[in-house]
Amino acid sequence: MLAKRIIPCLDIRDGQTVKGINFLDIREVGDPVEMGAEYARAGADELVYLDITATHEGRNLFANLVRKIAEHVNIPFTVGGGIRDLSDVDPLLNAGADKVSINSAVVKNPDLIGQVARSYGSQFVVVAIDANFEEDDWFVYVNGGRIKTKRRLFEWAREAEQRGAGEILFTSMNHDGTKNGYANQATAQLSTSLGIPVIASGGAGKMNHFVDVFGEGEADAALAASIFHFREIGIQDLKTHLRNHNIPVR
Amino acid sequence: MKVAIVKYNAGNIRSVYFALERLGIEAVITDDHEKLRTADRVIFPGVGEASTTMKYLKERKLDILLRELTQPVLGICLGLQLMCAHTEEGDADCIGIFDLEVKKFEMKLKVPHMGWNSLENVRGKLLSPEVEGTFVYFVHSYYAALGENTSAMTHYNIPFSAAIERDNFYATQFHPEKSGPVGEKILKNFLEL
């Protein structure tokens, strides 16, 4: 049976792992390659590395880092952050990344989804969507949650799928950093209306939040950062907990 | 030991190279017929579109070469599908080492079949009995049906060939290079055949 995936997310700035709380207040937590290898040993199903560096030098560090991750980590990993066009994708996939996650660039230029999908295959394209619930709807934000757009979550996710996305990574900005649980209702609505896997992100604080997002939220995968980085929840303990709640895990 | 990875227009060949490196093997990535023919092991990995890839292989006569190899050969993911007889993807005739048809998953399922799924009814030489029931990593939209060469099956709504083998030819639909310690064990088995 296809297992539900647990995905630690590592935010990278200047080649180091950091974790932002509610998209700001960043503190460093450790070496990304070591952390990735340790998560893989602990039973993580996949990893996501997001480059939050704004500088050109930082970006070069990230490309070198991707190669080191590919050398040392024996599970699939996705990389993203700062991808603007196809020429940003090539070096990442050639360095050994399994997928790229693209967020703001595809909101501005939706054709990029199809371009990457045609060049590499849909399974290489994760479309990441940051959305905030306000005025009775989910609005899509870009630039790390700083700029609101007119796009709505469900329409945009459907369009991304039609354009060739292989997976949707949905972060609820309302839930991110709160540790009060995932946006289960919205995740379920996404997951049941799309024909591609949905990764839920934002809000994990307790092991039961994962039970809920896989159950009620019907997510295919759940992503979290700080609770893993600060060892509040161990991956193996979490897998045992999920298994005890009849959720298929590896 | 000389291990050659078949170089062609497919993604993710690097990750196979790195996985072998973790096992202490420095592989060569090549489309040179002589180097492939004289290698101790040949790995035929790949992610990509089947019909364009078959066209690429045929232009370089790599399809004929692969069929004639006598050392252990391991196809991975698209490699497995191309070693079959025919695929629905682009309605292409494939290399035909295995007499199997490759079909698309039904649309009512989430496609691609992506993530970790379990191996069942494990038999044959590549997969040791201890991998029965363990999880390995899959990413694919097409699958090879079950047949007499099936050496492990996996369920994604329907059962399909997770691994196949015949004579010196082995293939896995999953990615051993991305399947953690279980995948490493399988790659090691291949090197020790």
Side-chain angles (χ1 to χ4, degrees), chain B residues 147-168:
Chain B
E148 58 172 340
N149 297 130
T150 302
S151 58
M153 70 170 188
T154 292
H155 274 86
Y156 188 50
N157 201 36
I158 50 143
F160 66 90
S161 287
I164 50 183
E165 61 181 65
R166 181 176 75 82
D167 307 326
N168 58 315

Side-chain angles (χ1 to χ4, degrees), chain A residues 3 45 71 98 123 191 220, chain B residues 22 47 110 116-117 178 180:
Chain A
D45 297 304
E71 280 173 21
D98 296 285
Q123 68 269 29
S191 188
D220 299 286
Chain B
R22 289 194 289 273
V47 176
K110 286 198 178 185
W116 299 77
N117 206 331
K178 286 286 161 184

